[in-house]
Amino acid sequence: MQPADRLLAWYDRHRRDLPWRRSRDPYCIWLSEVMLQQTRVEAVVPFYERFVARFPTVEELARAPLDEVLALWSGLGYYRRARQLHAAAQRVAAAGGFPRTYEGLLDLPGIGPYTAAAVASIAFGAAIPVLDGNVARVLSRVLAQAGDPSGRTARRRLLAAAAGLLVAGRAGDSNQALMELGATLCLPRQPRCPRCPLRGGCLGALEGAPERYPAARRRRRPERLRLLVAVVERQGRVLLFRRPDASAVLAGTWELPWVEWGGGEEAARALADKYGGVWRLGAAAGEVRHGITYRDLAVAVHRAELEGSGEVREGAEAAWVDALAGLPLSSLVRKVMAVFKAAP
């Protein structure tokens, strides 16, 4: 049996039962691939199921207000994905359906080479190999290729190896088999080589050092920041501000007022400089830790008051809300509010 056939036979026996694998609808496949970017499968499944229940077709997603889409995405992170998903859905709906080619898919907002190849192969049977992090790790070990898999020469070689593992008529399953192998057996640490269908031809395994491949990337050193978050309540409502659409992170989501803080009395002045108005900080309600990309945040949660009518600086979009459900919020807001409500 050829390596491609062994890989596919292994996948047929051992693949996980994931909800998007029960469909060949390009909408479901595309949605899952976007959600899976930089997010673990276990975290994606409940979001995917809720999203499809609310927006079962690309047309319904296209018609939905962006705020509703962002609200349903809340907690999944990397909100730029949701904004691009919505924009692409509108393009697809206006065109009467998904492009059926790799090139056509690549032209949609937020779709890069990997996602275009995944949707084209799984939904439409196109014989196009995929190359994500899992696939790059598997094939770097098979080829004993130590270099950075994102380099042009290395990427070309890896794509050629992936193309050689496509089974005629089942390109989508072949691609998913490679991804599944990297996710479940060919792990970054302690790969489960004895169970791998490609072990016989894997140069990394034959050397006895598969973890040597690919070369480890230098990680960015975590940036530790201390923040103060102010929770202002009036008549059961909480003051929130919307991040501008041009924000690099969490654009368009609602957040509690915050400032970087080194301790002391300057936080109230910093809040006034950032949001306008006159601020008075009350008692501390607790502290939460939060990680976002390479930042490690220590967040002091304080009760606060905004004096007067609550006017804020021009250009700041603020709202007093009595229920957070249904709003696009970051997971940090939910953590902070949980600590705030639990405080005596």
Side-chain angles (χ1 to χ4, degrees):
M1 187 181 291
Q2 295 298 311
D5 298 314
R6 288 199 304 272
L7 175 64
L8 199 52
W10 169 84
Y11 177 69
D12 287 339
R13 290 193 304 272
H14 298 290
R15 64 182 175 183
R16 291 168 293 177
D17 180 23
L18 301 174
W20 47 86
R21 287 183 177 163
R22 303 168 200 157
S23 173
R24 285 293 184 265
D25 182 345
Y27 169 62
C28 294
I29 294 162
W30 165 62
L31 175 61
S32 70
E33 292 296 344
V34 173
M35 287 186 165
L36 287 164
Q37 293 168 11
Q38 299 176 291
T39 310
R40 294 178 299 105
V41 166
E42 296 78 9
V44 165
V45 169
F47 280 94
Y48 172 86
E49 292 177 333
R50 286 194 294 269
F51 214 89
V52 172
R54 173 60 187 88
F55 308 120
T57 66
V58 70
E59 290 80 12
E60 292 193 51
L61 174 58
R63 287 194 295 268
L66 177 59
D67 269 0
E68 185 178 359
V69 176
L70 291 172
L72 204 57
W73 198 272
S74 292
L76 195 55
Y78 300 99
Y79 287 82
R80 188 165 180 262
R81 294 181 296 174
R83 301 172 72 86
Q84 291 179 327
L85 190 84
H86 188 249
Q90 292 179 325
R91 286 263 300 271
V92 170
F98 277 88
R100 299 181 65 88
T101 66
Y102 171 82
E103 294 77 13
L105 290 162
L106 198 58
D107 190 48
L108 293 174
I111 293 190
Y114 162 75
T115 304
V119 176
S121 64
I122 299 169
F124 303 122
I128 300 174
V130 300
L131 190 61
D132 70 349
N134 283 327
V135 173
R137 182 171 60 256
V138 170
L139 296 178
S140 291
R141 290 170 174 174
V142 168
L143 300 174
Q145 178 170 286
D148 182 353
S150 65
R152 182 178 300 178
T153 301
R155 180 178 175 82
R156 188 182 304 118
R157 191 177 179 211
L158 294 173
L159 280 169
L165 291 170
L166 298 179
V167 173
R170 294 191 65 186
D173 286 337
S174 296
N175 280 331
Q176 291 185 92
L178 264 179
M179 292 186 277
E180 188 80 344
L181 187 64
T184 62
L185 293 187
C186 196
L187 304 172
R189 298 287 176 265
Q190 299 181 326
R192 300 164 185 172
C193 295
R195 295 162 55 187
C196 178
L198 300 181
R199 186 186 185 194
C202 178
L203 297 180
L206 292 172
E207 289 179 2
E211 290 184 43
R212 183 183 303 165
Y213 308 102
R217 288 187 178 184
R218 181 176 296 177
R219 291 183 176 272
R220 181 168 182 171
R221 180 176 296 178
E223 182 179 328
R224 291 177 171 81
L225 297 176
R226 183 163 178 79
L227 308 182
L228 181 142
V229 170
V231 181
V232 184
E233 280 192 313
R234 284 186 185 170
Q235 299 176 340
R237 297 183 298 167
V238 176
L239 178 63
L240 297 178
F241 290 83
R242 189 194 287 272
R243 291 183 70 91
D245 286 347
S247 295
V249 180
L250 303 175
T253 61
W254 290 90
E255 63 182 2
L256 294 160
W258 64 272
V259 290
E260 291 191 35
W261 185 56
E265 298 295 325
E266 80 280 2
R269 290 193 297 272
L271 286 164
D273 290 342
K274 184 174 182 179
Y275 298 102
V278 178
W279 295 76
R280 294 192 182 279
L281 294 179
E287 184 169 305
V288 300
R289 299 299 294 267
H290 187 70
I292 179 168
T293 61
Y294 56 87
R295 296 180 178 89
D296 180 14
L297 308 180
V299 182
V301 181
H302 275 253
R303 302 178 186 278
E305 294 180 2
L306 182 59
E307 290 190 351
S309 62
E311 291 296 324
V312 296
R313 66 173 173 78
E314 186 177 353
E317 185 177 355
W320 293 90
V321 301
D322 55 10
L324 300 182
L327 290 176
L329 305 169
S330 74
S331 55
L332 176 58
V333 173
R334 301 183 194 282
K335 286 183 183 179
V336 167
M337 290 308 298
V339 166
F340 180 80
K341 290 176 180 177

